[in-house]
């Protein structure tokens, strides 16, 4: 309509149609084909109205009708072309926007994948079909301690593995070439030589034709997990091989683990344990202590250690144990149950009892020895003519007493070997085996008898050295003993005989030595003891019941 008004005002003498064509094109491009056709119809009518002012006025000539029709047809065709052009432009603009959008999405996806690959602690690699390295993720380079990937690009990936790992890698690459996926666990070093354990997954990357055209390998560092598994295995082996009772129970007290030593200790070899509870292992009085004191202390303090008693499930024996309890927790610190490492204290208790007995026995023996020392000292001082001789005699007698105690100590004060006792008591007085001859079977003297005999032998040897056979170079002494019969009622006989010494004469008075020799031996041995002053030399004989003098048979 605007063009028609412009045409009527300014261009009335020109052809009425050419000004309408650009307007129709603009309307079509702007508003579309429908608006373009309406614009064509309207422009034809407007042009026709202009022609009514051209003679013959008021009507259109046949030529004008033909020209108007031609205009309408050509303009309609032009509208169709413009519509196609407009559609192409719109499609091109949409395609451009889609392309920009796709490029943006691809860039975002690529950035995301790069971020994932760089952040991942897995070593992600792409291999060619020959198994050679073509790509390694940034995170993979970090975990493999690779500073420059170009230095290893193209290297055969299986060559990074040794031993069984190399064979597994070769098999995995071969399987991926054939379209199969595989996984394995192996040990391989980083580029800096750090040995690590890896879990490896290998799979084919398929091309457009569906056939493998490259290989994906993802390796995960499981060194820490492997070490924790090895630590767990070491703990399991330690628990299984331990000689201590090792057990675990749920928080409600139900047992779920016992090692072999635990089962043996309480008589549950081969038995099922799920029905057992913690308190079942203790006698009633100790079970109440466990329930009321031990387990609450574990919850409160984190552990408990003390002496308790286990109950043997077969014999009913009460077994003293050192019982330690600790909580079993999950990674968050929540208590899942209780664990125990318990040690059999029977051997220790027996040792303590033995020590107590030994202390008592030692005290008893010490009292006896002190009594003997007191008696020897008193008698020595009473019969001594002067202080110097008293000191010498007392010293010598205490040495003899020490020899007896040495022999007794070697046998834990339970007995004294007669031959060893005689050697220790007589060694200071002459050459054993030449001038002092010992002869007799093995006899284990009782402790109190051994002390008395050691003192008596010392007195006999001292007298022989002063007055008898050992006072001359040619004299000698024979100490012999024998056992006649068997068992406690057998007779034990001992004889001291001096030969080749000076003439023998009975003393005018009996000193402490003679009294000690006869009276003490007669008292301790419970038999007869006699000294005879014969022309050939002094003889001392002892005759006693074997059961009173020595340990016989199964005596302790």
């Amino acid at each position: 309509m605007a063009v028609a008004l412009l045409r009527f005002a300014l261009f009335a003498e020109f052809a009425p149609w050419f000004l309408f064509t650009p307007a129709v094109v603009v309307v079509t491009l702007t508003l579309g084909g429908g608006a373009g056709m309406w614009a064509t119809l309207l422009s034809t009518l407007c042009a026709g109205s202009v022609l009514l002012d051209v003679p013959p006025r008021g009507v259109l000539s046949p030529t004008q009708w033909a020209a108007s029709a031609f205009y309408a047809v050509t303009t309609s065709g032009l509208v169709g072309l413009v519509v196609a052009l407009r559609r192409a432009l719109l499609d091109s603009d949409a395609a451009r926007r889609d392309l920009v959008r796709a490029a943006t999405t691809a860039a975002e996806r690529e950035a995301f994948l790069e971020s994932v690959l760089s952040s991942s602690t897995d070593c992600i690699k792409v291999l060619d079909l020959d198994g050679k390295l073509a790509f390694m993720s940034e995170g993979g380079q970090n975990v493999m301690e690779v500073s420059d990937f170009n230095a290893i690009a193209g290297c055969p990936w299986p060559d990074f593995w040794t031993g069984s790992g190399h064979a597994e890698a070769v098999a995995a690459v071969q399987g991926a070439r054939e379209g199969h996926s595989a996984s394995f666990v192996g040990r391989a070093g980083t580029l800096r030589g750090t040995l690590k354990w890896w879990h490896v997954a290998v799979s084919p990357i398929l091309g457009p034709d569906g056939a493998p055209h490259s290989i994906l390998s993802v390796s995960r560092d499981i060194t820490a997990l492997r070490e924790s598994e090895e630590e767990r295995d070491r703990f399991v082996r330690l628990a299984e091989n331990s000689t201590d009772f090792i057990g675990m129970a749920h928080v409600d007290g139900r047992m779920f683990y016992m090692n072999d030593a635990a089962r043996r200790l309480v008589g549950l070899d081969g038995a099922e344990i799920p029905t057992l509870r913690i308190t079942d292992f203790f006698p009633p009085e100790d079970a109440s202590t466990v329930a009321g004191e031990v387990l609450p202390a574990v919850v409160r303090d984190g552990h408990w250690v003390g002496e308790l008693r286990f109950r043997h499930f077969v014999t009913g024996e009460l077994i003293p144990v050192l019982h330690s309890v600790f909580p079993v927790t999950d990674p968050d610190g929540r208590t899942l149950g209780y664990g125990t490492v318990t040690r059999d204290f029977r051997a220790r208790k027996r040792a303590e009892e033995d020590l107590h007995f030994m202390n008592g026995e030692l005290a008893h023996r010490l009292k006896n020895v002190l009594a003997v020392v007191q008696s020897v000292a008193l008698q020595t001082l009473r019969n001594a003519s002067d202080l110097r001789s008293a000191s010498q005699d007392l010293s010598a007698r205490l040495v003899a007493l020490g020899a007896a105690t040495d022999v007794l100590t070697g046998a834990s004060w339970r007995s004294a070997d007669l031959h060893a006792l005689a050697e220790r008591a007589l060694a200071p007085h002459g050459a054993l085996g030449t001038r002092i001859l010992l002869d007799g079977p093995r006899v284990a003297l009782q402790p109190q008898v051994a002390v008395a005999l050691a003192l008596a032998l010392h007195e006999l040897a001292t007298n022989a050295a002063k007055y008898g056979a050992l006072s001359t170079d040619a004299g000698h002494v024979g100490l012999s003993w024998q056992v006649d019969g068997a068992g406690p009622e057998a007779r034990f006989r001992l004889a001291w005989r001096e030969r080749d010494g000076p003439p023998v004469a009975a003393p005018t008075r009996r000193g402490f030595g003679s009294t000690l020799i006869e009276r003490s031996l007669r008292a301790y041995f419970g038999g007869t003891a006699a000294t005879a002053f014969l022309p050939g030399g002094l003889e001392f004989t002892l005759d006693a019941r074997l059961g009173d003098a020595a340990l016989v048979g199964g005596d302790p």
Side-chain angles (χ1 to χ4, degrees):
M1 293 297 293
V3 171
L5 292 174
L6 181 65
R7 168 70 178 78
F8 181 78
L10 301 177
F11 305 103
E13 299 300 328
F14 293 92
W17 296 286
F18 77 95
L19 290 177
F20 291 98
T21 301
V24 171
V25 171
V26 171
V27 169
T28 303
L29 285 174
T30 305
L31 302 177
M37 293 303 294
W38 281 106
T40 299
L41 177 60
L42 184 59
S43 64
T44 301
L45 294 175
C46 290
S49 65
V50 172
L51 291 177
L52 291 176
D53 292 334
V54 178
R57 296 179 182 275
V59 294
L60 296 177
S61 67
T63 301
Q64 290 173 333
W65 278 107
S68 296
F70 180 76
Y71 168 76
V73 171
T74 57
T75 302
S76 298
L78 180 61
V79 167
L81 292 175
V82 172
V83 168
L85 177 61
R86 181 175 183 271
R87 183 177 295 110
L89 290 174
L90 291 175
D91 291 344
S92 175
D93 187 58
R96 182 184 60 80
R97 289 195 302 272
D98 291 343
L99 184 61
V100 171
R101 189 181 300 110
T104 302
T105 302
E108 292 175 349
R109 182 181 295 111
E110 182 177 358
F112 173 74
L113 290 177
E114 288 181 356
S115 175
V116 169
L117 292 177
S118 63
S119 301
S120 174
T121 57
D122 292 342
C123 183
I124 302 173
K125 303 169 289 297
V126 176
L127 317 175
D128 62 21
L129 292 180
D130 292 328
K132 296 179 180 179
L133 284 169
F135 167 80
M136 181 180 290
S137 65
E138 183 178 346
Q141 294 181 43
N142 292 334
V143 74
M144 277 294 294
E145 300 180 321
V146 176
S147 57
D148 181 12
F149 176 70
N150 293 325
I152 60 173
C155 294
W157 173 65
D159 290 352
F160 287 89
W161 301 85
T162 58
S164 61
H166 181 269
E168 294 270 15
V170 170
V173 169
Q174 178 62 34
R177 276 201 297 264
E178 298 172 357
H180 306 300
S181 298
S183 64
F184 64 92
V185 173
R187 198 179 189 195
T190 66
L191 248 60
R192 294 183 182 177
T194 305
L195 288 176
K196 296 184 177 182
W197 283 96
W198 306 90
H199 179 273
V200 186
V202 180
S203 56
I205 300 176
L206 304 180
D209 57 355
H213 72 88
S214 57
I215 299 172
L216 175 66
S217 170
V218 180
S219 303
R220 174 163 295 178
D221 181 4
I222 59 170
T223 304
L225 177 62
R226 186 81 177 194
E227 289 176 349
S228 67
E229 290 178 349
E230 291 176 351
E231 184 67 24
R232 181 194 63 193
D233 292 342
R234 281 195 293 270
F235 169 76
V236 171
R237 289 194 298 271
L238 179 64
E240 289 297 336
N241 296 326
S242 175
T243 57
D244 290 334
F245 181 112
I246 297 179
M248 294 184 185
H250 297 289
V251 288
D252 61 1
R254 290 180 296 111
M255 298 294 297
F256 65 87
Y257 172 77
M258 289 174 62
N259 68 347
D260 292 340
R263 294 173 179 272
R264 288 193 298 269
L265 180 62
V266 295
L268 289 176
D269 294 295
E272 297 293 332
I273 65 171
T275 59
L276 293 176
R277 308 183 73 83
I278 295 176
T279 52
D280 293 337
F281 291 83
F282 302 91
E285 56 273 23
D286 286 2
S288 61
T289 301
V290 170
E293 299 179 17
V294 175
L295 297 184
V298 173
V299 175
R300 182 181 64 252
D301 304 328
H303 70 281
W304 186 90
V305 179
E307 292 188 26
L308 293 173
R309 294 171 300 169
F310 274 170
R311 176 178 62 86
H312 196 281
F313 282 82
V314 177
T315 64
E317 176 191 1
L318 295 181
I319 305 169
V321 295
L322 179 64
H323 191 55
S324 63
V325 189
F326 53 88
V328 177
T329 60
D330 64 9
D332 296 328
R334 291 174 298 185
T335 301
L336 302 177
Y338 304 99
T340 178
V341 178
T342 300
R343 179 155 295 176
D344 183 357
F345 253 27
R346 285 178 294 188
R348 176 166 177 170
K349 289 297 183 182
R350 284 193 294 267
E352 290 178 352
E353 292 173 358
D354 288 346
L355 181 61
H356 180 73
F357 173 78
M358 288 293 295
N359 287 335
E361 187 71 11
L362 180 60
H364 174 69
R365 301 301 180 192
L366 185 58
K367 289 178 182 179
N368 289 344
V369 170
L370 290 176
V372 172
V373 170
Q374 183 181 24
S375 175
V376 169
L378 181 62
Q379 294 295 332
T380 301
L381 295 175
R382 179 181 297 167
N383 292 277
S385 57
D386 56 68
L387 186 60
R388 181 177 180 182
S389 63
S391 175
Q392 292 176 347
D393 292 345
L394 180 60
S395 240
R397 288 164 181 164
L398 292 180
V399 169
L401 181 61
T405 57
D406 284 344
V407 176
L408 287 168
T409 302
S412 301
W413 278 85
R414 288 186 172 89
S415 64
D417 181 70
L418 175 53
H419 196 283
L421 179 69
E423 285 184 339
R424 296 294 295 270
L426 299 177
H429 300 283
L432 290 173
T434 56
R435 301 195 65 194
I436 300 178
L437 304 175
L438 305 181
D439 180 34
R442 185 179 183 280
V443 175
L445 296 176
Q446 296 185 17
Q448 65 274 20
V449 170
V451 172
L453 182 60
L455 290 173
L457 292 177
H458 164 71
E459 293 299 330
L460 289 169
T462 300
N463 291 336
K466 289 180 178 180
Y467 316 111
L470 298 182
S471 65
T472 64
D473 293 336
H476 61 275
V477 175
L479 175 64
S480 62
W481 61 90
Q482 64 186 38
V483 176
D484 296 330
E489 300 302 323
R491 301 307 297 178
F492 169 73
R493 294 184 174 87
L494 180 142
W496 171 282
R497 296 183 177 89
E498 300 181 18
R499 293 292 182 267
D500 301 327
V504 176
T508 57
R509 72 179 186 90
R510 298 180 63 83
F512 169 67
S514 300
T515 303
L516 174 65
I517 292 172
E518 294 184 8
R519 291 184 181 179
S520 64
L521 291 187
R522 191 181 300 120
Y524 279 104
F525 279 83
T528 60
T531 304
F533 299 91
L534 303 178
L538 180 139
E539 289 188 7
F540 169 77
T541 58
L542 173 67
D543 187 350
R545 178 176 171 272
L546 181 63
D548 295 330
L551 301 182
V552 182
D555 290 347

